[in-house]
Amino acid sequence: DIYLVVLVGGLIILLIYITRKQGGYTIVSVILNTLIFAYGFQLLGDGKNILRICNVIALLFLLTTLICLNGIHRKTWAALLSTICVLAMIMGIFDVVISHSAELDYSTMEYLGSIDNPDEIFHAEILLSGLGAIMDVAVAIAVALSEIFTKRPEVTFRELFRSGREIGYDIMGTMINVLLFVFGCGLIPMCVIRMNNSVRFMTIIKLHIPCELCRFFIESIGIVLAIPVSILITSVMMKLTIRKVKKTC
C-alpha cells in the first residue's frame, strides 16, 4: 500500500517541519493511543466486559494525550478533570433518559446478529466517540485561562469566567459541526446503498440511523456542558493555587 506509506510519511514530515517538537509529541501520543486501542481489543477478545474496558482505555487516552501534548501542569489536570466530569454527566443523562422513556431500538445497529449486548456497545460508542471533541473544548479553555492567570495573577473569578465563556462560545459551534460532519461522512455509504435500492431518504432517517442521531445529540450536549464545567474547574484550580502560594509566602 504505497499511498498509505506516502500519506503517513507526508504527515510525519509536515508535523516535524511545521510544529517541530510539538509534532514529535503528537506522533508519540498517536502511537501510544494506537497501542492502547489494540490492548483494549485484545482484552475484549479474552471475554472482558466492554464497558469496563472502555472506561479504562478512555482514561488512558486522556492521560496519554494530555500529558504528551501539554506536559504535567495545572492546565493539564484541569482539562483532565473537566473531561472526566463531562463524560460522567452525559453518560448519566443518557441513562436517565433511557430509563424514563421507551427503550432505544438497537435493531438498526450494524452487525446486530453477531452481538448479544448492543446496549453496552452503544454506551461504549458514546463514551469513546465524544471523548476527542469534549477534550478539545476542555483543553482550549484550560490553556487560555491558564495563560490569562499567568499574566494577570490578580484577575478575579468573574473575569476568568467571562473570558472562558467567550472562548467557549467561539469554539462550541465549530466542534458541534465537526461532529455532524464526521457522523455524516460515516453514513454516506449506507445512505447511498439504500437509496439506490429505492429506499427514501426520510425512511432511512426514521428507520436506519436513530442510534447515530442519538449519539450526535448526546455528544453535542457534552460539548455544551464542557464549557461551564471547564471554566469552573480551571478557575477554581488557578485560584486555589495562588492562595496556597500566598500562604506559603
Side-chain angles (χ1 to χ4, degrees):
D1 296 337
I2 299 178
Y3 66 94
L4 288 178
V5 175
V6 172
L7 290 174
V8 172
L11 175 61
I12 293 174
I13 292 172
L14 287 174
L15 282 172
I16 299 298
Y17 179 75
I18 295 176
T19 61
R20 304 296 180 181
K21 184 170 63 174
Q22 193 68 19
Y25 293 150
T26 302
I27 295 171
V28 171
S29 68
V30 170
I31 293 174
L32 291 176
N33 284 333
T34 302
L35 294 176
I36 293 171
F37 236 130
Y39 180 66
F41 278 112
Q42 182 179 356
L43 292 177
L44 184 61
D46 294 337
K48 305 294 184 180
N49 183 272
I50 187 171
L51 287 180
R52 292 181 180 177
I53 294 173
C54 287
N55 288 332
V56 172
I57 65 174
L59 181 59
L60 292 176
F61 286 152
L62 282 171
L63 289 170
T64 301
T65 304
L66 293 176
I67 292 177
C68 283
L69 300 182
N70 297 316
I72 301 177
H73 301 288
R74 290 171 299 177
K75 60 186 179 182
T76 302
W77 304 124
L80 176 65
L81 184 57
S82 300
T83 306
I84 293 174
C85 289
V86 173
L87 285 175
M89 291 170 68
I90 63 171
M91 297 308 295
I93 291 172
F94 176 66
D95 288 336
V96 169
V97 171
I98 292 298
S99 63
H100 289 82
S101 61
E103 185 177 354
L104 188 63
D105 184 11
Y106 297 106
S107 62
T108 58
M109 291 178 62
E110 297 289 339
Y111 313 113
L112 183 68
S114 61
I115 57 178
D116 300 322
N117 52 346
D119 56 333
E120 293 184 355
I121 292 179
F122 187 63
H123 275 69
E125 286 182 355
I126 293 174
L127 181 65
L128 294 180
S129 58
L131 183 62
I134 294 171
M135 180 169 56
D136 194 19
V137 174
V139 168
I141 293 175
V143 171
L145 295 186
S146 176
E147 187 68 20
I148 293 172
F149 187 80
T150 301
K151 293 183 177 180
R152 289 185 56 206
E154 73 280 2
V155 65
T156 64
F157 183 86
R158 179 174 294 182
E159 289 174 333
L160 279 175
F161 190 88
R162 287 177 178 174
S163 300
R165 185 177 60 186
E166 293 301 320
I167 296 168
Y169 289 169
D170 289 339
I171 62 179
M172 176 183 63
T174 304
M175 293 308 303
I176 291 177
N177 278 284
V178 166
L179 278 181
L180 178 63
F181 297 151
V182 170
F183 289 138
C185 290
L187 293 173
I188 287 176
M190 184 267 290
C191 290
V192 170
I193 291 173
R194 284 174 168 77
M195 291 175 72
N196 286 340
N197 286 279
S198 301
V199 180
R200 296 177 60 188
F201 182 68
M202 291 306 298
T203 302
I204 296 174
I205 294 178
K206 292 178 181 179
L207 300 180
H208 298 286
I209 58 173
C211 289
E212 283 73 13
L213 290 174
C214 181
R215 189 166 69 236
F216 167 72
F217 290 128
I218 294 170
E219 291 164 9
S220 297
I221 291 173
I223 291 175
V224 177
L225 289 175
I227 297 172
V229 171
S230 300
I231 295 172
L232 179 62
I233 291 177
T234 305
S235 300
V236 169
M237 289 183 67
M238 297 299 168
K239 284 299 181 181
L240 289 177
T241 302
I242 195 65
R243 287 182 181 178
K244 289 180 180 179
V245 172
K246 288 181 178 180
K247 288 181 179 180
T248 304
C249 296

